[in-house]
Amino acid sequence: MKIWVDADACPVVIKEIIFRAAERTQIQTILVANQYIRTPPSLFIQSLQVSKGFDEADNEIVRRVSPGDLVVTSDI
């Protein structure tokens, strides 16, 4: 299982909750955005920068998501 986050529109407070949850549960968490997203140093948290454009982060998540993964987005 992985957690995929559309980080472009994700509020900071929600990202902080997700960071704590990823560490506590040791679940790989990927923040996808069309800009640089700072993440805490962690074996379980990473960021993935995609090209700028409408729904680019969502489209990348759709390409990579697997059954059983959790997706956090307000778009899809």
Side-chain angles (χ1 to χ4, degrees), residues 10-58:
C10 188
V12 172
V13 67
I14 301 303
K15 283 188 253 186
E16 291 171 357
I17 291 168
I18 291 169
F19 294 156
R20 288 193 305 271
E23 286 296 319
R24 186 180 71 249
T25 60
Q26 298 184 347
I27 295 175
Q28 189 66 37
T29 301
I30 304 98
L31 282 78
V32 184
N34 58 24
Q35 60 188 343
Y36 172 76
I37 300 291
R38 186 172 32 162
T39 60
S42 170
L43 295 174
F44 306 104
I45 302 167
Q46 67 185 56
S47 64
L48 175 63
Q49 188 171 352
V50 296
S51 57
K52 293 191 183 296
F54 184 72
D55 283 342
E56 287 298 319
D58 291 316

